[in-house]
Amino acid sequence: QVLLVETGGGLVQAGGSLRLSCAAPGRTFSLYGMGWFRQAPGKDRECVAAIDRTGINTNYADSVKGRFTISRDNAKNTVYLQMYTLKPEDTAVYYCAAGRTSGATSSSQSYGSWGQGTQVSVSS
């Protein structure tokens, strides 16, 4: 089991920005892909961004392309989600997830460890 801890959520006005961080312990962080998921009230969990083990290959949900950027620092065992031009529809609990493999996959089945979530609320 891997314990992931998300930080950086908060309340912002539409058009604002936030940066989420996810820290993971251990020595194997750099071997696996990482993802950011979100879940809004009454909606299914969705993958918003994923990054492979190298940090070079990324995938984004269409709804966040051009606004969100996922990155990682393997030396710090940390993955980030930089969010710009936030919209009210971005309001959700955001979860960090560690993959079972090395790729930038969007399927929740590809992830074996999850954080507790951090709330992002965007007001209009």
Side-chain angles (χ1 to χ4, degrees):
Q1 292 283 341
V2 178
L3 178 62
L4 307 176
V5 180
E6 305 97 335
T7 58
L11 281 68
V12 297
Q13 199 166 21
S17 302
L18 286 173
R19 187 182 76 161
L20 307 183
S21 299
C22 172
R27 297 175 292 158
T28 61
F29 176 82
S30 64
L31 298 179
Y32 302 103
M34 299 290 293
W36 284 98
F37 293 75
R38 68 185 181 189
Q39 188 164 25
K43 294 185 176 181
D44 293 331
R45 182 177 57 195
E46 65 170 337
C47 183
V48 298
I51 190 166
D52 76 340
R53 65 179 296 272
T54 70
I56 296 172
N57 298 308
T58 58
N59 287 302
Y60 297 95
D62 288 342
S63 59
V64 307
K65 284 181 179 177
R67 299 189 298 119
F68 290 12
T69 300
I70 187 171
S71 61
R72 66 190 297 162
D73 187 338
N74 287 346
K76 297 181 179 179
N77 279 24
T78 302
V79 63
Y80 305 94
L81 185 67
Q82 300 143 12
M83 304 184 291
Y84 304 113
T85 318
L86 283 161
K87 304 174 181 179
E89 51 262 45
D90 295 319
T91 296
V93 177
Y94 283 70
Y95 298 92
C96 175
R100 295 185 175 98
T101 59
S102 64
T105 62
S106 61
S107 172
S108 61
Q109 281 69 37
S110 297
Y111 295 88
S113 299
W114 298 80
Q116 82 289 346
T118 185
Q119 177 72 47
V120 172
S121 298
V122 185
S123 65
S124 60

